Amino acid sequence: MRIIPPLTALVVTASLYAVVMERDSLLAFARGEDTTDMEAADSAAEAAQTALADAGPDATADGPPQVAVVAVHSTARAIDNAVVLRGQTRALREVNVMAETTSTVISDPLRKGATVDRGDVLCELDPGTRPASLQEARARLAEARAKMPEAEARLEEAHAVLEEARINLTAAQKLSEGGYASETRLASAKAAERTAQAAIASAEGGLESTRAGIESAVAAVAAAEKEMDRLVLHAPFNGILESDTAEVGSLLQPGTLCATVIQLDTIKLVGYVPETAINRVSLGARAGARLATGQQVTGEVSFISRSADETTRTFEVEVTVPNPDLSIRDGQTAEIAIAAEGAKAHQLPQSALTLNNEGQLGVRVVRADRTAGFVPVTLLRDEAAGVWLDGLPEQADVIVVGQDFVTEGVALNPTYREASE
């Protein structure tokens, strides 16, 4: 093996290293400069660059590293503190008018959208044999009532017989005591008295039976008349037909729909309030709403649920709104605002909100010593211009850019801008 090629490779490698890696030292050596001072200067520069990199762009030689953030000077302002929720319109009343008996429809149908008044006929059914059944029930009632005088006369007759038997018994007893009547006559008088008493009891029973027959006949007449009333289905209130009434010839059975009637001259706005805001809503409070069509309406709170929905943990609230022209329809989407007690709050960009390590909602603020702090807040309202927050002091410097990159006590280098920017 020849030794010349490896030596040549080592010489070439050393030359390349000297030219590339130690270029500055070679040039300094060629100019006759001191390479020791050059190496010391390079080492100091590298150390300074490392220190600056670790400290950040805003580090200074006189204090701890500072983090650059953007903040605003925020001042609390008075707001009406309304409870805003989304809901929908609902008819004041809606009833499905259904048949209570079996028969066929003989009336012409009314078409949906028609206006009806209370008591108007919606469906009329074929009476069939019901009139005859009513006449029969009335005849039985008359017959039962005719038996009443006879039963009363029998009772009076029984009382008269009893009185006569008692007189005879008294006379027989006195004659028997004087020896003028036999024991047989006395026993016969006593038996006659007992027979008269039994006749009274029988007459009283007959009278009660007659009265029961009358009551039964009266009930039969009432049932027959009720069955006749079920043949005509009326509108329960003033409203609008939401469906056609049953067609002529249709067979209706108990529970079969005749028509649906809704009342819209007064309408309800129904929404659901979260449990955190339910105590701010009270009965009779003024409320306004904007419908999906852009129409704005006003009313007042007429109902607040006492039981929360098991799934959403919200409470149902109803707002009653006049609707005399029927311009508001059932089922429209509405944004409802319910008036509540006024308060002061800060309006800030929604992006200013952050969470602390415990997951609590709040904002980062610039303290007087130019360090970062965290203040928990309560969200009152969310608007296009920003969110309204409660929990901050009257004046606060709130970080709006960079709040997610600082923690409690971190030194800050804040830049302020107008709250409207």
Side-chain angles (χ1 to χ4, degrees), residues 89-143:
T89 60
R90 186 179 297 174
L92 182 64
R93 290 191 287 182
E94 180 176 350
V95 173
N96 293 323
V97 181
M98 297 184 178
E100 298 180 81
T101 187
T102 301
S103 188
T104 55
V105 179
I106 59 175
S107 60
D108 293 331
L110 301 176
R111 298 307 175 188
K112 56 186 176 182
T115 301
V116 295
D117 296 327
R118 180 178 181 179
D120 286 354
V121 176
L122 300 180
C123 295
E124 184 176 356
L125 306 181
D126 183 11
T129 60
R130 292 175 180 83
S133 299
L134 176 59
Q135 292 298 326
E136 182 182 359
R138 288 174 176 172
R140 289 180 179 176
L141 175 59
E143 181 182 358

Side-chain angles (χ1 to χ4, degrees), residues 257-304:
L257 180 66
C258 166
T260 299
V261 184
I262 61 175
Q263 182 178 357
L264 294 177
D265 54 359
T266 300
I267 205 161
K268 297 183 294 185
L269 305 177
V270 182
Y272 294 88
V273 179
E275 55 185 339
T276 56
I278 189 62
N279 289 337
R280 294 160 52 201
V281 180
S282 59
L283 287 174
R286 297 297 299 171
R290 181 185 293 109
L291 306 182
T293 58
Q295 182 180 0
Q296 295 186 359
V297 296
T298 58
E300 63 180 31
V301 177
S302 58
F303 171 75
I304 302 174

Side-chain angles (χ1 to χ4, degrees), residues 161-174 176-177 181-199:
V161 171
L162 176 61
E163 185 67 22
E164 180 183 359
R166 285 176 176 172
I167 293 173
N168 293 334
L169 177 61
T170 302
Q173 288 176 342
K174 290 182 178 180
S176 177
E177 291 174 356
S182 64
E183 293 294 332
T184 303
R185 181 178 177 182
L186 179 61
S188 178
K190 291 180 178 179
E193 182 191 25
R194 289 193 292 270
T195 300
Q197 290 176 345

Side-chain angles (χ1 to χ4, degrees), residues 234-384:
H234 301 275
F237 48 78
N238 298 343
I240 299 175
L241 287 179
E242 190 65 10
S243 65
D244 293 341
T245 61
E247 190 63 61
V248 175
S250 300
L251 176 63
L252 299 187
Q253 297 178 342
T256 304
L257 180 66
C258 166
T260 299
V261 184
I262 61 175
Q263 182 178 357
L264 294 177
D265 54 359
T266 300
I267 205 161
K268 297 183 294 185
L269 305 177
V270 182
Y272 294 88
V273 179
E275 55 185 339
T276 56
I278 189 62
N279 289 337
R280 294 160 52 201
V281 180
S282 59
L283 287 174
R286 297 297 299 171
R290 181 185 293 109
L291 306 182
T293 58
Q295 182 180 0
Q296 295 186 359
V297 296
T298 58
E300 63 180 31
V301 177
S302 58
F303 171 75
I304 302 174
S305 175
R306 291 287 179 178
S307 177
D309 184 272
E310 294 184 358
T311 304
T312 62
R313 309 307 304 168
T314 56
F315 293 83
E316 182 178 355
V317 174
E318 294 182 358
V319 177
T320 304
V321 175
N323 187 32
D325 57 355
L326 308 182
S327 61
I328 306 175
R329 302 174 183 271
D330 180 26
Q332 289 184 267
T333 303
E335 184 177 358
I336 307 169
I338 303 174
E341 185 178 354
K344 282 192 173 182
H346 291 257
Q347 187 181 34
L348 295 167
Q350 188 176 23
S351 58
L353 295 173
T354 187
L355 300 174
N356 62 3
N357 293 334
E358 289 74 31
Q360 192 174 16
L361 182 67
V363 294
R364 300 284 182 186
V365 296
V366 180
R367 292 174 174 169
D369 59 355
R370 296 170 65 90
T371 60
F374 179 83
V375 178
V377 297
T378 301
L379 179 62
L380 299 180
R381 190 185 306 172
D382 187 359
E383 298 178 347

